Amino acid sequence: RMAEPTVSPMPLPMPEPAPIEEEPAPAYTEEELEMMALVIYQEAGSDDCSNETRLMVGNVVMNRVADSRFPDSIYEVLTQEGQYGRLHWTGLVWAERASNPGEAHAVARAYECAERILLGERLLPEDVIWQAEFPQGTETVVYQDGTYFCR
């Protein structure tokens, strides 16, 4: 008797491997996040300040980084002489009160707002480069939580 021919099934096409999606590079470094949180806490750290005010503090820092009249990095803006309290001679050092257990919530809020700023959230126009407990520059754009934000 003759053997019946065997039919080999057609091989199924191999699926294309899914492309490996690389994680995008982070928009900021951990050092930038800490620097921004530190200055937000220093300038608007009280739990009396709204997150909106905290975001505006970070916004002014980023506006300065982008403005040709100021240094080109967060670190240099924060440590520029005569700006942001004593950071120009102490360096980026957290206020002692930040380590108090009662301040943990305010510090966490500062980090949250810092991340939002570093990811691109903005509340102020690009020309708002002044912030203090008194008016500066040519025009007050916002006065909130005891802070003037000016152009």
Side-chain angles (χ1 to χ4, degrees):
R1 170 166 197 231
M2 274 182 95
E4 289 189 30
T6 57
V7 178
S8 297
M10 288 285 289
L12 295 174
M14 292 295 291
E16 290 286 321
I20 298 172
E21 291 187 30
E22 292 183 28
E23 285 195 32
Y28 56 85
T29 66
E30 288 299 313
E31 290 83 12
E32 290 169 326
L33 178 63
E34 182 168 8
M35 286 187 277
M36 186 64 72
L38 182 148
V39 76
I40 287 171
Y41 178 79
Q42 175 180 293
E43 301 291 314
S46 163
D47 262 336
D48 294 340
C49 282
S50 66
N51 279 356
E52 187 175 59
T53 298
R54 293 166 190 260
L55 290 167
M56 286 189 275
V57 166
N59 198 158
V60 168
V61 171
M62 297 309 289
N63 285 354
R64 285 181 173 204
V65 170
D67 189 297
S68 63
R69 295 170 287 180
F70 293 91
D72 296 334
S73 73
I74 295 170
Y75 176 83
E76 291 172 315
V77 164
L78 299 184
T79 58
Q80 186 177 19
E81 190 170 348
Q83 306 301 311
Y84 297 102
R86 298 178 286 171
L87 296 181
H88 70 278
W89 60 272
T90 63
L92 298 177
V93 178
W94 284 85
E96 281 188 42
R97 72 181 190 277
S99 61
N100 295 340
E103 290 294 300
H105 184 253
V107 170
R109 287 176 63 203
Y111 270 100
E112 175 191 316
C113 290
E115 183 172 39
R116 289 169 61 185
I117 285 295
L118 293 171
L119 290 174
E121 187 170 341
R122 299 292 184 268
L123 300 180
L124 297 170
E126 292 176 1
D127 62 348
V128 176
I129 55 170
W130 304 109
Q131 148 233 318
E133 294 175 352
F134 51 87
Q136 298 181 60
T138 59
E139 175 189 359
T140 297
V141 177
V142 176
Y143 174 73
Q144 182 167 295
D145 292 334
T147 303
Y148 292 86
F149 296 90
C150 307
R151 42 171 66 97

